[in-house]
Amino acid sequence: MVETLARSRAFDSTDLVILRIGLGPERHTLLCTPERVWHGRKDDLLELKRLASWSGRSCFLIPEAAVQKQPRLDCARAIDDATGVEVTMEQRMEILVHLIERGNSTLFECASAISHASPFSAILHLVAVGVLKMDSAVPLSPESTIEIAHP
């Protein structure tokens, strides 16, 4: 639907990347655009966002530079790579019990607390699905802070 709105506003296929994203149980539309479009057609972009929101779509409008900013991009890629990892309910409970008992913990400590073939990927998967949260604005390392996501 947002792609149709973009075409009706004379946006080219190279002007926008339009993605449906999930953040936990919520669904949003991400509108990402190169700097030349961000600065050259800002009013049109804001109008597109307004129309999409009016149509019931929760939209985020961001410039390409914000998405590619490090360390956020590397962290987002690592979390995205972990979305296909399977984590059982028992493994989720191991992590939740660990975090309830200790409070915030490091990625390494959480990985040590779970019985999983790929423990780091399992923790990042739980971040991806919104069970856990971490600060993506700092470089991803074994010392990255993990905590239970608030509903």
Side-chain angles (χ1 to χ4, degrees):
M1 198 256 326
V2 178
E3 288 177 17
T4 303
L5 286 172
R7 279 193 299 272
S8 74
R9 307 300 293 168
F11 282 103
D12 240 1
S13 62
T14 59
D15 291 340
L16 293 168
V17 173
I18 302 171
L19 300 169
R20 285 290 278 167
I21 58 171
L23 299 171
E26 301 172 7
R27 300 290 175 249
H28 305 279
T29 301
L30 177 69
L31 304 173
C32 183
T33 185
E35 294 296 318
R36 65 176 171 74
V37 178
W38 180 262
H39 293 292
R41 297 189 61 190
K42 188 99 173 203
D43 291 338
D44 292 333
L45 290 167
L46 293 172
E47 177 67 11
L48 175 60
K49 182 182 187 296
R50 187 188 64 74
L51 287 171
S53 295
W54 181 77
S55 299
R57 303 287 183 189
S58 171
C59 284
F60 293 97
L61 178 61
I62 56 173
E64 178 183 28
V67 174
Q68 293 184 353
K69 187 175 182 180
Q70 293 296 352
R72 188 178 298 132
L73 180 61
D74 286 342
C75 189
R77 284 183 177 152
I79 291 170
D80 183 57
D81 288 345
T83 57
V85 173
E86 193 170 319
V87 180
T88 67
M89 189 57 68
E90 291 79 18
Q91 292 164 332
R92 284 183 184 215
M93 290 306 296
E94 289 173 348
I95 292 303
L96 292 174
V97 166
H98 169 79
L99 288 170
I100 289 169
E101 289 176 349
R102 293 181 169 231
N104 297 350
S105 194
T106 67
L107 177 59
F108 181 80
E109 291 167 341
C110 287
S112 298
I114 189 172
S115 53
H116 193 280
S118 302
F120 289 95
S121 294
I123 301 304
L124 293 177
H125 169 79
L126 295 175
V127 171
V129 298
V131 173
L132 304 176
K133 72 177 188 174
M134 62 184 279
D135 185 359
S136 63
V138 297
L140 182 61
S141 77
E143 298 303 314
S144 296
T145 303
I146 305 291
E147 58 187 285
I148 297 173
H150 300 288

